[in-house]
Amino acid sequence: QKEVEQDPGPLSVPEGAIVSLNCTYSNSAFQYFMWYRQYSRKGPELLMYTYSSGNKEDGRFTAQVDKSSKYISLFIRDSQPSDSATYLCAMSSYSGGYQKVTFGTGTKLQVIP
Amino acid sequence: DAGVTQSPTHLIKTRGQQVTLRCSPKSGHDTVSWYQQALGQGPQFIFQYYEEEERQRGNFPDRFSGHQFPNYSSELNVNALLLGDSALYLCASSFEGTTNEKLFFGSGTQLSVL
């Protein structure tokens, strides 16, 4: 079983829709939870990071963490064609005294005008 | 403020050859991590360098080695290339002094092994 599970999609939605992206995890040691956006042929770009359970909002993006269920989500409101990208969840824990980051496989999102 | 820069952007090699990839971290960052991202997969951790030493390593063979220089830039070397080494190689930099070492990525080097 992978430490981090993420549905690869692809997910196709019309412009203006609310998008929900999700990841589950099995390692209780994960402390920080992040979402990265990756455009084609580019490196991942940090979108959101959270530490505790609950919601964190930044513009059209809301990150949600439920540590009891080992489940995290990213919501995108009023989705735009420019949001079309692959979204990677990432989680970090301390291993051997250093922080280790584990990524999901990524969900490919397409927003259709 | 320059972000993380990687060179070259693309590279084609044949099986058995050796390759060196280069990375300059974001200004103010002192830690460099390397990741391998196969097509349709998430980045897989290769290793991390801090103070010119490898301090963490993922599940990659010794064919993968690296180096960090006094100016914090880094190299990734892969020997005896295999077809399966074809992937996007990502460099990420961070600052050791933060509680959560946020990773900032470069655009990567696309390596094709024929």
PDB file of all heavy atoms in Angstrom, chain A residues 2 32 36 38 41-44 46 49 88 92 94 98-101 103-105, chain B residues 35 37 40-43 48 55-56 88 90 99-103 105-107:
ATOM      1  N   LYS A   2       0.557   2.195  -0.889  1.00  0.00           N
ATOM      2  CA  LYS A   2       1.314   3.441  -0.935  1.00  0.00           C
ATOM      3  C   LYS A   2       0.978   4.289   0.288  1.00  0.00           C
ATOM      4  O   LYS A   2      -0.134   4.258   0.793  1.00  0.00           O
ATOM      5  CB  LYS A   2       0.954   4.216  -2.203  1.00  0.00           C
ATOM      6  CG  LYS A   2       1.490   3.601  -3.487  1.00  0.00           C
ATOM      7  CD  LYS A   2       1.180   4.511  -4.662  1.00  0.00           C
ATOM      8  CE  LYS A   2       1.750   3.947  -5.946  1.00  0.00           C
ATOM      9  NZ  LYS A   2       1.447   4.817  -7.107  1.00  0.00           N
ATOM     10  N   TYR A  32       2.793  18.007   7.973  1.00  0.00           N
ATOM     11  CA  TYR A  32       2.466  19.119   7.102  1.00  0.00           C
ATOM     12  C   TYR A  32       1.854  18.576   5.816  1.00  0.00           C
ATOM     13  O   TYR A  32       2.269  17.531   5.317  1.00  0.00           O
ATOM     14  CB  TYR A  32       3.719  19.939   6.771  1.00  0.00           C
ATOM     15  CG  TYR A  32       4.282  20.666   7.964  1.00  0.00           C
ATOM     16  CD1 TYR A  32       5.290  20.106   8.731  1.00  0.00           C
ATOM     17  CD2 TYR A  32       3.798  21.916   8.319  1.00  0.00           C
ATOM     18  CE1 TYR A  32       5.801  20.773   9.831  1.00  0.00           C
ATOM     19  CE2 TYR A  32       4.307  22.595   9.413  1.00  0.00           C
ATOM     20  CZ  TYR A  32       5.308  22.018  10.167  1.00  0.00           C
ATOM     21  OH  TYR A  32       5.813  22.677  11.252  1.00  0.00           O
ATOM     22  N   TYR A  36       0.550  21.118  -4.589  1.00  0.00           N
ATOM     23  CA  TYR A  36       1.367  21.717  -5.634  1.00  0.00           C
ATOM     24  C   TYR A  36       0.591  21.663  -6.946  1.00  0.00           C
ATOM     25  O   TYR A  36      -0.147  20.721  -7.213  1.00  0.00           O
ATOM     26  CB  TYR A  36       2.689  20.953  -5.813  1.00  0.00           C
ATOM     27  CG  TYR A  36       3.725  21.225  -4.739  1.00  0.00           C
ATOM     28  CD1 TYR A  36       3.685  20.556  -3.528  1.00  0.00           C
ATOM     29  CD2 TYR A  36       4.747  22.142  -4.968  1.00  0.00           C
ATOM     30  CE1 TYR A  36       4.643  20.810  -2.548  1.00  0.00           C
ATOM     31  CE2 TYR A  36       5.712  22.399  -3.996  1.00  0.00           C
ATOM     32  CZ  TYR A  36       5.652  21.731  -2.797  1.00  0.00           C
ATOM     33  OH  TYR A  36       6.602  21.974  -1.838  1.00  0.00           O
ATOM     34  N   GLN A  38       1.224  21.695 -11.085  1.00  0.00           N
ATOM     35  CA  GLN A  38       2.292  21.463 -12.070  1.00  0.00           C
ATOM     36  C   GLN A  38       1.728  21.590 -13.472  1.00  0.00           C
ATOM     37  O   GLN A  38       0.919  20.767 -13.903  1.00  0.00           O
ATOM     38  CB  GLN A  38       2.926  20.076 -11.866  1.00  0.00           C
ATOM     39  CG  GLN A  38       4.127  19.832 -12.760  1.00  0.00           C
ATOM     40  CD  GLN A  38       4.838  18.515 -12.454  1.00  0.00           C
ATOM     41  OE1 GLN A  38       4.251  17.588 -11.903  1.00  0.00           O
ATOM     42  NE2 GLN A  38       6.113  18.438 -12.800  1.00  0.00           N
ATOM     43  N   ARG A  41       5.357  20.206 -18.558  1.00  0.00           N
ATOM     44  CA  ARG A  41       6.779  20.477 -18.790  1.00  0.00           C
ATOM     45  C   ARG A  41       7.356  21.516 -17.837  1.00  0.00           C
ATOM     46  O   ARG A  41       8.366  22.155 -18.148  1.00  0.00           O
ATOM     47  CB  ARG A  41       7.040  20.888 -20.242  1.00  0.00           C
ATOM     48  CG  ARG A  41       6.615  19.860 -21.259  1.00  0.00           C
ATOM     49  CD  ARG A  41       7.049  20.271 -22.655  1.00  0.00           C
ATOM     50  NE  ARG A  41       6.522  19.373 -23.663  1.00  0.00           N
ATOM     51  CZ  ARG A  41       5.337  19.536 -24.248  1.00  0.00           C
ATOM     52  NH1 ARG A  41       4.592  20.564 -23.931  1.00  0.00           N
ATOM     53  NH2 ARG A  41       4.921  18.676 -25.149  1.00  0.00           N
ATOM     54  N   LYS A  42       6.725  21.690 -16.680  1.00  0.00           N
ATOM     55  CA  LYS A  42       7.228  22.623 -15.668  1.00  0.00           C
ATOM     56  C   LYS A  42       7.393  21.902 -14.336  1.00  0.00           C
ATOM     57  O   LYS A  42       6.885  20.797 -14.141  1.00  0.00           O
ATOM     58  CB  LYS A  42       6.258  23.793 -15.491  1.00  0.00           C
ATOM     59  CG  LYS A  42       6.103  24.673 -16.719  1.00  0.00           C
ATOM     60  CD  LYS A  42       7.385  25.428 -17.011  1.00  0.00           C
ATOM     61  CE  LYS A  42       7.183  26.417 -18.145  1.00  0.00           C
ATOM     62  NZ  LYS A  42       8.450  27.121 -18.482  1.00  0.00           N
ATOM     63  N   GLY A  43       8.108  22.534 -13.416  1.00  0.00           N
ATOM     64  CA  GLY A  43       8.235  21.979 -12.077  1.00  0.00           C
ATOM     65  C   GLY A  43       7.008  22.301 -11.239  1.00  0.00           C
ATOM     66  O   GLY A  43       6.251  23.219 -11.552  1.00  0.00           O
ATOM     67  N   PRO A  44       6.763  21.547 -10.185  1.00  0.00           N
ATOM     68  CA  PRO A  44       5.633  21.825  -9.279  1.00  0.00           C
ATOM     69  C   PRO A  44       5.778  23.183  -8.593  1.00  0.00           C
ATOM     70  O   PRO A  44       6.884  23.585  -8.238  1.00  0.00           O
ATOM     71  CB  PRO A  44       5.710  20.675  -8.266  1.00  0.00           C
ATOM     72  CG  PRO A  44       6.505  19.606  -8.929  1.00  0.00           C
ATOM     73  CD  PRO A  44       7.491  20.326  -9.793  1.00  0.00           C
ATOM     74  N   LEU A  46       4.253  25.448  -5.356  1.00  0.00           N
ATOM     75  CA  LEU A  46       3.512  25.321  -4.107  1.00  0.00           C
ATOM     76  C   LEU A  46       2.290  26.233  -4.111  1.00  0.00           C
ATOM     77  O   LEU A  46       2.390  27.439  -4.305  1.00  0.00           O
ATOM     78  CB  LEU A  46       4.426  25.678  -2.925  1.00  0.00           C
ATOM     79  CG  LEU A  46       3.809  25.572  -1.545  1.00  0.00           C
ATOM     80  CD1 LEU A  46       3.403  24.127  -1.231  1.00  0.00           C
ATOM     81  CD2 LEU A  46       4.787  26.072  -0.484  1.00  0.00           C
ATOM     82  N   TYR A  49      -0.249  25.146   1.918  1.00  0.00           N
ATOM     83  CA  TYR A  49       0.294  24.233   2.904  1.00  0.00           C
ATOM     84  C   TYR A  49      -0.453  24.440   4.219  1.00  0.00           C
ATOM     85  O   TYR A  49      -0.829  25.558   4.576  1.00  0.00           O
ATOM     86  CB  TYR A  49       1.798  24.389   3.091  1.00  0.00           C
ATOM     87  CG  TYR A  49       2.203  25.568   3.943  1.00  0.00           C
ATOM     88  CD1 TYR A  49       2.459  25.425   5.308  1.00  0.00           C
ATOM     89  CD2 TYR A  49       2.352  26.823   3.377  1.00  0.00           C
ATOM     90  CE1 TYR A  49       2.834  26.522   6.077  1.00  0.00           C
ATOM     91  CE2 TYR A  49       2.723  27.913   4.139  1.00  0.00           C
ATOM     92  CZ  TYR A  49       2.968  27.745   5.486  1.00  0.00           C
ATOM     93  OH  TYR A  49       3.340  28.828   6.240  1.00  0.00           O
ATOM     94  N   LEU A  88      -0.721  18.009  -7.369  1.00  0.00           N
ATOM     95  CA  LEU A  88      -0.040  17.010  -6.550  1.00  0.00           C
ATOM     96  C   LEU A  88      -0.278  17.312  -5.081  1.00  0.00           C
ATOM     97  O   LEU A  88      -0.035  18.433  -4.631  1.00  0.00           O
ATOM     98  CB  LEU A  88       1.474  17.050  -6.806  1.00  0.00           C
ATOM     99  CG  LEU A  88       1.959  16.707  -8.211  1.00  0.00           C
ATOM    100  CD1 LEU A  88       3.312  17.356  -8.475  1.00  0.00           C
ATOM    101  CD2 LEU A  88       2.078  15.202  -8.365  1.00  0.00           C
ATOM    102  N   SER A  92       4.541  15.747   4.678  1.00  0.00           N
ATOM    103  CA  SER A  92       5.890  15.626   5.208  1.00  0.00           C
ATOM    104  C   SER A  92       5.884  15.096   6.634  1.00  0.00           C
ATOM    105  O   SER A  92       4.947  15.312   7.405  1.00  0.00           O
ATOM    106  CB  SER A  92       6.612  16.971   5.155  1.00  0.00           C
ATOM    107  OG  SER A  92       6.037  17.891   6.048  1.00  0.00           O
ATOM    108  N   TYR A  94       9.030  13.730   9.812  1.00  0.00           N
ATOM    109  CA  TYR A  94      10.440  13.706  10.162  1.00  0.00           C
ATOM    110  C   TYR A  94      10.952  12.275  10.108  1.00  0.00           C
ATOM    111  O   TYR A  94      10.350  11.366  10.660  1.00  0.00           O
ATOM    112  CB  TYR A  94      10.670  14.305  11.546  1.00  0.00           C
ATOM    113  CG  TYR A  94      10.753  15.794  11.504  1.00  0.00           C
ATOM    114  CD1 TYR A  94       9.620  16.577  11.704  1.00  0.00           C
ATOM    115  CD2 TYR A  94      11.949  16.436  11.218  1.00  0.00           C
ATOM    116  CE1 TYR A  94       9.693  17.949  11.642  1.00  0.00           C
ATOM    117  CE2 TYR A  94      12.026  17.800  11.148  1.00  0.00           C
ATOM    118  CZ  TYR A  94      10.891  18.559  11.362  1.00  0.00           C
ATOM    119  OH  TYR A  94      10.969  19.919  11.286  1.00  0.00           O
ATOM    120  N   TYR A  98      15.271  14.547   9.949  1.00  0.00           N
ATOM    121  CA  TYR A  98      15.081  15.490   8.862  1.00  0.00           C
ATOM    122  C   TYR A  98      13.696  15.312   8.267  1.00  0.00           C
ATOM    123  O   TYR A  98      13.096  14.253   8.341  1.00  0.00           O
ATOM    124  CB  TYR A  98      16.142  15.276   7.775  1.00  0.00           C
ATOM    125  CG  TYR A  98      17.535  15.272   8.308  1.00  0.00           C
ATOM    126  CD1 TYR A  98      18.305  14.115   8.260  1.00  0.00           C
ATOM    127  CD2 TYR A  98      18.081  16.413   8.875  1.00  0.00           C
ATOM    128  CE1 TYR A  98      19.589  14.097   8.763  1.00  0.00           C
ATOM    129  CE2 TYR A  98      19.369  16.403   9.376  1.00  0.00           C
ATOM    130  CZ  TYR A  98      20.121  15.244   9.323  1.00  0.00           C
ATOM    131  OH  TYR A  98      21.387  15.224   9.814  1.00  0.00           O
ATOM    132  N   GLN A  99      13.220  16.401   7.656  1.00  0.00           N
ATOM    133  CA  GLN A  99      11.896  16.356   7.073  1.00  0.00           C
ATOM    134  C   GLN A  99      11.929  15.606   5.749  1.00  0.00           C
ATOM    135  O   GLN A  99      12.784  15.839   4.895  1.00  0.00           O
ATOM    136  CB  GLN A  99      11.382  17.772   6.859  1.00  0.00           C
ATOM    137  CG  GLN A  99       9.882  17.828   6.716  1.00  0.00           C
ATOM    138  CD  GLN A  99       9.345  19.183   7.120  1.00  0.00           C
ATOM    139  OE1 GLN A  99       9.326  20.082   6.300  1.00  0.00           O
ATOM    140  NE2 GLN A  99       8.935  19.330   8.359  1.00  0.00           N
ATOM    141  N   LYS A 100      10.975  14.705   5.585  1.00  0.00           N
ATOM    142  CA  LYS A 100      10.859  13.930   4.355  1.00  0.00           C
ATOM    143  C   LYS A 100       9.507  14.237   3.722  1.00  0.00           C
ATOM    144  O   LYS A 100       8.483  14.188   4.407  1.00  0.00           O
ATOM    145  CB  LYS A 100      10.962  12.441   4.671  1.00  0.00           C
ATOM    146  CG  LYS A 100      10.748  11.528   3.472  1.00  0.00           C
ATOM    147  CD  LYS A 100      10.680  10.073   3.912  1.00  0.00           C
ATOM    148  CE  LYS A 100      10.268   9.179   2.765  1.00  0.00           C
ATOM    149  NZ  LYS A 100      10.065   7.782   3.193  1.00  0.00           N
ATOM    150  N   VAL A 101       9.502  14.566   2.446  1.00  0.00           N
ATOM    151  CA  VAL A 101       8.271  14.917   1.737  1.00  0.00           C
ATOM    152  C   VAL A 101       7.887  13.784   0.796  1.00  0.00           C
ATOM    153  O   VAL A 101       8.721  13.309   0.009  1.00  0.00           O
ATOM    154  CB  VAL A 101       8.439  16.228   0.937  1.00  0.00           C
ATOM    155  CG1 VAL A 101       7.132  16.584   0.226  1.00  0.00           C
ATOM    156  CG2 VAL A 101       8.851  17.363   1.869  1.00  0.00           C
ATOM    157  N   PHE A 103       5.041  12.583  -2.125  1.00  0.00           N
ATOM    158  CA  PHE A 103       4.052  13.106  -3.060  1.00  0.00           C
ATOM    159  C   PHE A 103       3.046  12.047  -3.474  1.00  0.00           C
ATOM    160  O   PHE A 103       3.357  10.855  -3.536  1.00  0.00           O
ATOM    161  CB  PHE A 103       4.745  13.628  -4.323  1.00  0.00           C
ATOM    162  CG  PHE A 103       5.466  14.931  -4.130  1.00  0.00           C
ATOM    163  CD1 PHE A 103       6.750  14.952  -3.626  1.00  0.00           C
ATOM    164  CD2 PHE A 103       4.855  16.128  -4.448  1.00  0.00           C
ATOM    165  CE1 PHE A 103       7.426  16.153  -3.438  1.00  0.00           C
ATOM    166  CE2 PHE A 103       5.524  17.340  -4.268  1.00  0.00           C
ATOM    167  CZ  PHE A 103       6.803  17.347  -3.763  1.00  0.00           C
ATOM    168  N   GLY A 104       1.828  12.495  -3.796  1.00  0.00           N
ATOM    169  CA  GLY A 104       0.875  11.641  -4.471  1.00  0.00           C
ATOM    170  C   GLY A 104       1.224  11.582  -5.955  1.00  0.00           C
ATOM    171  O   GLY A 104       2.158  12.241  -6.414  1.00  0.00           O
ATOM    172  N   THR A 105       0.456  10.792  -6.694  1.00  0.00           N
ATOM    173  CA  THR A 105       0.755  10.615  -8.114  1.00  0.00           C
ATOM    174  C   THR A 105       0.289  11.801  -8.957  1.00  0.00           C
ATOM    175  O   THR A 105       0.721  11.958 -10.098  1.00  0.00           O
ATOM    176  CB  THR A 105       0.092   9.349  -8.664  1.00  0.00           C
ATOM    177  OG1 THR A 105      -1.303   9.399  -8.357  1.00  0.00           O
ATOM    178  CG2 THR A 105       0.700   8.104  -8.053  1.00  0.00           C
TER     179      THR A 105
ATOM    180  N   TYR B  35      14.604  15.052  -7.148  1.00  0.00           N
ATOM    181  CA  TYR B  35      13.483  14.150  -7.326  1.00  0.00           C
ATOM    182  C   TYR B  35      13.467  13.624  -8.759  1.00  0.00           C
ATOM    183  O   TYR B  35      13.869  14.320  -9.693  1.00  0.00           O
ATOM    184  CB  TYR B  35      12.147  14.864  -7.062  1.00  0.00           C
ATOM    185  CG  TYR B  35      11.881  15.165  -5.608  1.00  0.00           C
ATOM    186  CD1 TYR B  35      12.465  16.263  -4.974  1.00  0.00           C
ATOM    187  CD2 TYR B  35      11.035  14.344  -4.859  1.00  0.00           C
ATOM    188  CE1 TYR B  35      12.228  16.542  -3.647  1.00  0.00           C
ATOM    189  CE2 TYR B  35      10.784  14.617  -3.517  1.00  0.00           C
ATOM    190  CZ  TYR B  35      11.383  15.716  -2.933  1.00  0.00           C
ATOM    191  OH  TYR B  35      11.135  15.981  -1.601  1.00  0.00           O
ATOM    192  N   GLN B  37      10.748  12.216 -11.567  1.00  0.00           N
ATOM    193  CA  GLN B  37       9.322  12.123 -11.851  1.00  0.00           C
ATOM    194  C   GLN B  37       9.113  11.410 -13.184  1.00  0.00           C
ATOM    195  O   GLN B  37       9.361  11.970 -14.260  1.00  0.00           O
ATOM    196  CB  GLN B  37       8.675  13.507 -11.882  1.00  0.00           C
ATOM    197  CG  GLN B  37       7.160  13.459 -12.023  1.00  0.00           C
ATOM    198  CD  GLN B  37       6.507  14.835 -11.955  1.00  0.00           C
ATOM    199  OE1 GLN B  37       7.133  15.842 -12.268  1.00  0.00           O
ATOM    200  NE2 GLN B  37       5.248  14.876 -11.549  1.00  0.00           N
ATOM    201  N   GLY B  40       3.380  10.542 -15.642  1.00  0.00           N
ATOM    202  CA  GLY B  40       2.143  10.161 -14.978  1.00  0.00           C
ATOM    203  C   GLY B  40       2.294   9.812 -13.510  1.00  0.00           C
ATOM    204  O   GLY B  40       1.348   9.312 -12.894  1.00  0.00           O
ATOM    205  N   GLN B  41       3.476  10.070 -12.956  1.00  0.00           N
ATOM    206  CA  GLN B  41       3.727   9.752 -11.549  1.00  0.00           C
ATOM    207  C   GLN B  41       4.090  11.010 -10.756  1.00  0.00           C
ATOM    208  O   GLN B  41       4.426  12.046 -11.347  1.00  0.00           O
ATOM    209  CB  GLN B  41       4.881   8.748 -11.424  1.00  0.00           C
ATOM    210  CG  GLN B  41       4.617   7.429 -12.129  1.00  0.00           C
ATOM    211  CD  GLN B  41       3.464   6.674 -11.513  1.00  0.00           C
ATOM    212  OE1 GLN B  41       3.350   6.579 -10.289  1.00  0.00           O
ATOM    213  NE2 GLN B  41       2.572   6.147 -12.349  1.00  0.00           N
ATOM    214  N   GLY B  42       4.031  10.906  -9.459  1.00  0.00           N
ATOM    215  CA  GLY B  42       4.487  11.996  -8.616  1.00  0.00           C
ATOM    216  C   GLY B  42       5.997  11.954  -8.458  1.00  0.00           C
ATOM    217  O   GLY B  42       6.635  10.945  -8.750  1.00  0.00           O
ATOM    218  N   PRO B  43       6.599  13.055  -8.036  1.00  0.00           N
ATOM    219  CA  PRO B  43       8.052  13.071  -7.815  1.00  0.00           C
ATOM    220  C   PRO B  43       8.472  12.056  -6.747  1.00  0.00           C
ATOM    221  O   PRO B  43       7.822  11.938  -5.708  1.00  0.00           O
ATOM    222  CB  PRO B  43       8.310  14.506  -7.334  1.00  0.00           C
ATOM    223  CG  PRO B  43       7.145  15.307  -7.831  1.00  0.00           C
ATOM    224  CD  PRO B  43       5.978  14.370  -7.774  1.00  0.00           C
ATOM    225  N   GLN B  48      19.025  14.385  -0.649  1.00  0.00           N
ATOM    226  CA  GLN B  48      19.057  15.774  -0.230  1.00  0.00           C
ATOM    227  C   GLN B  48      20.467  16.139   0.214  1.00  0.00           C
ATOM    228  O   GLN B  48      21.143  15.341   0.868  1.00  0.00           O
ATOM    229  CB  GLN B  48      18.083  16.004   0.931  1.00  0.00           C
ATOM    230  CG  GLN B  48      17.990  17.451   1.390  1.00  0.00           C
ATOM    231  CD  GLN B  48      17.038  17.593   2.567  1.00  0.00           C
ATOM    232  OE1 GLN B  48      17.378  17.282   3.700  1.00  0.00           O
ATOM    233  NE2 GLN B  48      15.837  18.089   2.286  1.00  0.00           N
ATOM    234  N   ARG B  55      22.479  14.031   3.210  1.00  0.00           N
ATOM    235  CA  ARG B  55      22.006  13.722   4.553  1.00  0.00           C
ATOM    236  C   ARG B  55      20.733  12.881   4.553  1.00  0.00           C
ATOM    237  O   ARG B  55      20.308  12.426   5.600  1.00  0.00           O
ATOM    238  CB  ARG B  55      21.786  14.987   5.358  1.00  0.00           C
ATOM    239  CG  ARG B  55      20.647  15.868   4.890  1.00  0.00           C
ATOM    240  CD  ARG B  55      20.448  16.996   5.871  1.00  0.00           C
ATOM    241  NE  ARG B  55      19.292  17.806   5.520  1.00  0.00           N
ATOM    242  CZ  ARG B  55      18.907  18.862   6.219  1.00  0.00           C
ATOM    243  NH1 ARG B  55      19.578  19.231   7.297  1.00  0.00           N
ATOM    244  NH2 ARG B  55      17.848  19.557   5.849  1.00  0.00           N
ATOM    245  N   GLN B  56      20.106  12.716   3.418  1.00  0.00           N
ATOM    246  CA  GLN B  56      18.944  11.829   3.294  1.00  0.00           C
ATOM    247  C   GLN B  56      19.014  11.198   1.924  1.00  0.00           C
ATOM    248  O   GLN B  56      19.454  11.837   0.970  1.00  0.00           O
ATOM    249  CB  GLN B  56      17.618  12.603   3.370  1.00  0.00           C
ATOM    250  CG  GLN B  56      17.167  13.083   4.701  1.00  0.00           C
ATOM    251  CD  GLN B  56      15.722  13.513   4.635  1.00  0.00           C
ATOM    252  OE1 GLN B  56      14.810  12.702   4.742  1.00  0.00           O
ATOM    253  NE2 GLN B  56      15.491  14.807   4.443  1.00  0.00           N
ATOM    254  N   LEU B  88      11.637  13.050 -15.806  1.00  0.00           N
ATOM    255  CA  LEU B  88      11.899  14.461 -15.517  1.00  0.00           C
ATOM    256  C   LEU B  88      12.614  14.513 -14.169  1.00  0.00           C
ATOM    257  O   LEU B  88      12.113  13.980 -13.178  1.00  0.00           O
ATOM    258  CB  LEU B  88      10.585  15.236 -15.451  1.00  0.00           C
ATOM    259  CG  LEU B  88      10.678  16.739 -15.145  1.00  0.00           C
ATOM    260  CD1 LEU B  88      11.359  17.483 -16.287  1.00  0.00           C
ATOM    261  CD2 LEU B  88       9.295  17.315 -14.873  1.00  0.00           C
ATOM    262  N   LEU B  90      13.862  16.686 -11.154  1.00  0.00           N
ATOM    263  CA  LEU B  90      13.526  17.959 -10.523  1.00  0.00           C
ATOM    264  C   LEU B  90      14.469  18.262  -9.377  1.00  0.00           C
ATOM    265  O   LEU B  90      14.791  17.373  -8.577  1.00  0.00           O
ATOM    266  CB  LEU B  90      12.091  17.919  -9.993  1.00  0.00           C
ATOM    267  CG  LEU B  90      10.989  17.793 -11.035  1.00  0.00           C
ATOM    268  CD1 LEU B  90       9.681  17.355 -10.373  1.00  0.00           C
ATOM    269  CD2 LEU B  90      10.799  19.112 -11.765  1.00  0.00           C
ATOM    270  N   THR B  99      10.687  26.021  10.063  1.00  0.00           N
ATOM    271  CA  THR B  99      10.079  24.863  10.712  1.00  0.00           C
ATOM    272  C   THR B  99       9.611  23.853   9.666  1.00  0.00           C
ATOM    273  O   THR B  99       9.844  22.670   9.781  1.00  0.00           O
ATOM    274  CB  THR B  99       8.889  25.302  11.570  1.00  0.00           C
ATOM    275  OG1 THR B  99       9.330  26.261  12.514  1.00  0.00           O
ATOM    276  CG2 THR B  99       8.294  24.101  12.298  1.00  0.00           C
ATOM    277  N   ASN B 100       8.927  24.361   8.667  1.00  0.00           N
ATOM    278  CA  ASN B 100       8.497  23.503   7.574  1.00  0.00           C
ATOM    279  C   ASN B 100       9.305  23.896   6.352  1.00  0.00           C
ATOM    280  O   ASN B 100       9.188  25.009   5.859  1.00  0.00           O
ATOM    281  CB  ASN B 100       7.015  23.677   7.290  1.00  0.00           C
ATOM    282  CG  ASN B 100       6.574  22.885   6.081  1.00  0.00           C
ATOM    283  OD1 ASN B 100       7.154  21.860   5.753  1.00  0.00           O
ATOM    284  ND2 ASN B 100       5.562  23.363   5.388  1.00  0.00           N
ATOM    285  N   GLU B 101      10.138  22.988   5.904  1.00  0.00           N
ATOM    286  CA  GLU B 101      11.004  23.301   4.777  1.00  0.00           C
ATOM    287  C   GLU B 101      10.197  23.274   3.480  1.00  0.00           C
ATOM    288  O   GLU B 101      10.109  22.257   2.809  1.00  0.00           O
ATOM    289  CB  GLU B 101      12.147  22.298   4.713  1.00  0.00           C
ATOM    290  CG  GLU B 101      13.084  22.389   5.901  1.00  0.00           C
ATOM    291  CD  GLU B 101      14.162  21.329   5.867  1.00  0.00           C
ATOM    292  OE1 GLU B 101      14.522  20.887   4.764  1.00  0.00           O
ATOM    293  OE2 GLU B 101      14.632  20.933   6.947  1.00  0.00           O
ATOM    294  N   LYS B 102       9.606  24.423   3.135  1.00  0.00           N
ATOM    295  CA  LYS B 102       8.841  24.513   1.909  1.00  0.00           C
ATOM    296  C   LYS B 102       9.776  24.315   0.731  1.00  0.00           C
ATOM    297  O   LYS B 102      10.825  24.947   0.658  1.00  0.00           O
ATOM    298  CB  LYS B 102       8.157  25.866   1.794  1.00  0.00           C
ATOM    299  CG  LYS B 102       7.128  26.150   2.857  1.00  0.00           C
ATOM    300  CD  LYS B 102       6.550  27.533   2.652  1.00  0.00           C
ATOM    301  CE  LYS B 102       5.703  27.933   3.829  1.00  0.00           C
ATOM    302  NZ  LYS B 102       5.185  29.307   3.672  1.00  0.00           N
ATOM    303  N   LEU B 103       9.363  23.444  -0.161  1.00  0.00           N
ATOM    304  CA  LEU B 103      10.176  23.137  -1.323  1.00  0.00           C
ATOM    305  C   LEU B 103       9.795  24.028  -2.495  1.00  0.00           C
ATOM    306  O   LEU B 103       8.615  24.169  -2.805  1.00  0.00           O
ATOM    307  CB  LEU B 103       9.988  21.672  -1.726  1.00  0.00           C
ATOM    308  CG  LEU B 103      10.415  20.609  -0.731  1.00  0.00           C
ATOM    309  CD1 LEU B 103      10.068  19.228  -1.274  1.00  0.00           C
ATOM    310  CD2 LEU B 103      11.897  20.705  -0.443  1.00  0.00           C
ATOM    311  N   PHE B 105      10.603  24.340  -6.520  1.00  0.00           N
ATOM    312  CA  PHE B 105      11.127  23.508  -7.589  1.00  0.00           C
ATOM    313  C   PHE B 105      11.596  24.310  -8.794  1.00  0.00           C
ATOM    314  O   PHE B 105      11.052  25.366  -9.110  1.00  0.00           O
ATOM    315  CB  PHE B 105      10.054  22.527  -8.074  1.00  0.00           C
ATOM    316  CG  PHE B 105       9.804  21.379  -7.146  1.00  0.00           C
ATOM    317  CD1 PHE B 105       8.901  21.489  -6.108  1.00  0.00           C
ATOM    318  CD2 PHE B 105      10.480  20.171  -7.324  1.00  0.00           C
ATOM    319  CE1 PHE B 105       8.664  20.424  -5.250  1.00  0.00           C
ATOM    320  CE2 PHE B 105      10.252  19.103  -6.480  1.00  0.00           C
ATOM    321  CZ  PHE B 105       9.343  19.238  -5.443  1.00  0.00           C
ATOM    322  N   GLY B 106      12.579  23.750  -9.480  1.00  0.00           N
ATOM    323  CA  GLY B 106      12.950  24.235 -10.791  1.00  0.00           C
ATOM    324  C   GLY B 106      12.048  23.611 -11.844  1.00  0.00           C
ATOM    325  O   GLY B 106      11.160  22.814 -11.524  1.00  0.00           O
ATOM    326  N   SER B 107      12.285  23.964 -13.100  1.00  0.00           N
ATOM    327  CA  SER B 107      11.458  23.427 -14.191  1.00  0.00           C
ATOM    328  C   SER B 107      11.878  22.027 -14.611  1.00  0.00           C
ATOM    329  O   SER B 107      11.164  21.378 -15.375  1.00  0.00           O
ATOM    330  CB  SER B 107      11.510  24.353 -15.402  1.00  0.00           C
ATOM    331  OG  SER B 107      10.853  25.563 -15.114  1.00  0.00           O
TER     332      SER B 107
END
